[in-house]
């Protein structure tokens, strides 16, 4: 990508376009207030959807504009220019090749290293469809080695250590942090949030209120992503969640027929892959194996928007 960036710069210079030395400042304010005299809210929303769809269709004319790229050795500046700032997802391979965690983090090693330290996890998820909306109701605690023994029995989606538990779990997981290193091209040095669970965990369709980097350390995960331009097809009923819940479930699609039109990006993350999910991109995540993943939102650049999210 670095080479591509240099070529683009050279091509622009060749036709007399030097570009600006500094980024164009954003002057729109946090969230512009609607002018007093404007069309009804529904028409304004329909027109906003229309322009997003038209732009999406136009991007689909070009593979370079619309494909989900996989990159290696992507320097921070190229990540910022081509993905972070434009809000475009990308898979980056090889960035954690030097992490001891990549080879060490087997279930046995994790259980031995963290031992009997008490951790918090999300439990009883099979009992209630709204397990993500009602996160606090599903908080449970147990010794980490007991948690690992419990999930080895194949609990599927019932028990999962998620980012929501990470503040409580930071001290218990501290001994593991010598196996990871800062990803200084993209991130500031703060530690990320660990997700640990068996094959079959499922995080329902939602979008995040921050840009997010998913770092797959052990096992594989399947991520289905839908661009923000298709939000009108996704029955956003509460907060950041979709009533569709699972785009792979035919019964849910039958109950929410607009969602059948969705064009999604499908990614399988293997150990060592990182996935950048920009703010506002819908995604659902299913683990295909015992899985350990770290998520990070501490990018080197501003990661803003959540503070102005219009709750309905
Ligand atoms: O890996 C998962 O189960 C969910 C990750 C996710 O959706 C997120 O970090 O926003």
């Amino acid at each position: 990508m670095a080479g591509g960036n240099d070529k683009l710069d050279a091509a622009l210079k060749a036709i007399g376009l030097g570009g600006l030395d500094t980024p164009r400042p954003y002057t729109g304010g946090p969230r512009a207030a609607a002018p007093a005299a404007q069309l009804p809210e529904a028409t304004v929303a329909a027109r906003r959807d229309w322009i997003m769809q038209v732009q999406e269709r136009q991007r689909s004319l070009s593979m370079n504009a619309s494909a989900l790229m996989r990159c290696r050795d992507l320097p921070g500046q190229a990540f910022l220019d081509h993905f972070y700032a434009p809000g475009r997802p990308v898979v980056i391979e090889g960035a954690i090749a030097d992490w001891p965690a990549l080879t060490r983090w087997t279930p046995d090693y994790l259980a031995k290293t963290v031992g009997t330290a008490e951790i918090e996890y999300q439990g009883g998820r099979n009992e209630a469809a709204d397990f993500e909306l009602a996160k606090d109701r599903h908080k449970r605690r147990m010794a980490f080695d007991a948690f690992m023994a419990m999930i080895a029995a194949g609990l599927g989606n019932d028990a999962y250590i998620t980012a929501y538990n990470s503040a409580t779990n930071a001290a218990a997981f501290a001994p593991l942090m010598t196996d990871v290193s800062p990803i200084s091209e993209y991130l500031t040095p703060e530690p990320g949030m660990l997700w640990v669970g068996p094959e079959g965990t499922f995080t329902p369709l939602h979008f995040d209120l921050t840009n997010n980097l998913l770092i797959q350390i052990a096992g594989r995960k399947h991520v289905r992503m839908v661009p923000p331009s298709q939000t009108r097809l996704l029955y956003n009923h509460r907060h950041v969640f979709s009533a569709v819940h699972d785009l792979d479930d035919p019964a849910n699609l039958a109950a929410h027929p607009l969602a059948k039109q969705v064009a999604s990006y499908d990614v399988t993350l293997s150990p060592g892959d990182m996935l950048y999910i920009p703010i506002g991109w819908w995604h659902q995540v299913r683990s295909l194996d015992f899985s350990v993943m770290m998520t990070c939102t501490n990018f080197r650049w501003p990661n803003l928007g959540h503070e102005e999210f219009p709750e309905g």
Side-chain angles (χ1 to χ4, degrees):
M1 273 319 283
N5 208 19
D6 293 347
K7 275 192 203 145
L8 180 64
D9 287 347
L12 288 174
K13 284 205 180 90
I15 58 168
L17 289 174
L20 297 172
D21 287 343
T22 52
R24 187 178 58 87
Y26 177 72
T27 53
R31 200 152 52 90
Q38 73 165 16
L39 293 163
E41 192 61 40
T43 311
V44 172
R47 289 187 177 181
R48 206 179 296 137
D49 281 341
W50 167 81
I51 189 66
M52 285 176 80
Q53 278 176 270
V54 170
Q55 288 173 334
E56 183 77 33
R57 187 170 61 199
Q58 196 160 308
R59 275 194 293 276
S60 75
L61 298 174
S62 150
M63 198 187 79
N64 277 340
S66 63
L68 179 70
M69 300 278 185
R70 270 194 176 258
C71 300
R72 263 189 178 268
D73 304 322
L74 183 67
Q77 187 64 42
F79 172 66
L80 173 67
D81 290 344
H82 298 287
F83 302 105
Y84 190 78
R88 180 175 182 180
V90 60
V91 176
I92 304 152
E93 299 172 357
I96 61 164
D98 62 335
W99 283 20
L102 212 45
T103 49
R104 283 190 192 154
W105 285 13
T106 62
D108 272 357
Y109 174 88
L110 294 169
K112 281 196 186 99
T113 308
V114 180
T116 56
E118 191 178 70
I119 51 91
E120 182 185 276
Y121 69 100
Q122 299 301 113
R125 290 161 50 111
N126 288 341
E127 289 155 21
D130 65 346
F131 59 85
E132 267 295 321
L133 266 166
K135 285 191 184 85
D136 288 325
R137 192 182 64 210
H138 290 271
K139 279 184 182 174
R140 311 273 189 277
R141 279 173 179 263
M142 69 162 54
F144 183 71
D145 55 358
F147 173 83
M148 292 300 285
M150 180 176 78
I151 64 170
L155 283 185
N157 191 40
D158 205 49
Y160 195 12
I161 296 174
T162 74
Y164 194 58
N165 310 117
S166 64
T168 309
N169 292 340
F173 287 151
L176 295 173
M177 293 303 132
T178 50
D179 294 338
V180 308
S181 327
I183 303 178
S184 51
E185 286 286 327
Y186 313 137
L187 302 172
T188 58
E190 296 83 54
M193 298 164 274
L194 281 186
W195 301 65
V196 184
E199 174 186 344
T201 58
F202 176 66
T203 299
L205 190 59
H206 69 285
F207 58 89
D208 294 330
L209 299 181
T210 55
N211 298 296
N212 198 357
L213 190 68
L214 278 55
I215 306 170
Q216 190 64 29
I217 302 170
R220 294 163 307 144
K221 273 185 169 169
H222 177 252
V223 186
R224 219 169 150 187
M225 283 186 293
V226 180
S229 59
Q230 296 182 39
T231 297
R232 69 180 186 94
L233 305 174
L234 290 179
Y235 304 82
N236 180 199
H237 65 324
R238 285 178 67 188
H239 190 48
V240 297
F241 296 99
S242 161
V244 183
H245 191 75
D246 180 0
L247 285 166
D248 295 322
D249 180 342
N252 283 351
L253 291 182
H256 303 96
L258 284 179
K260 290 183 194 163
Q261 296 172 37
V262 147
S264 65
Y265 291 80
D266 287 276
V267 189
T268 299
L269 295 178
S270 297
D273 289 344
M274 303 198 309
L275 171 64
Y276 167 56
I277 304 185
I279 187 168
W281 272 70
W282 292 89
H283 52 287
Q284 62 178 57
V285 184
R286 191 167 258 118
S287 62
L288 306 177
D289 304 303
F290 165 75
S291 160
V292 186
M293 189 176 86
M294 184 180 274
T295 52
C296 300
T297 56
N298 50 308
F299 289 93
R300 284 171 48 207
W301 311 280
N303 194 354
L304 298 174
H306 52 96
E307 59 293 339
E308 296 134 19
F309 179 62
E311 285 287 359

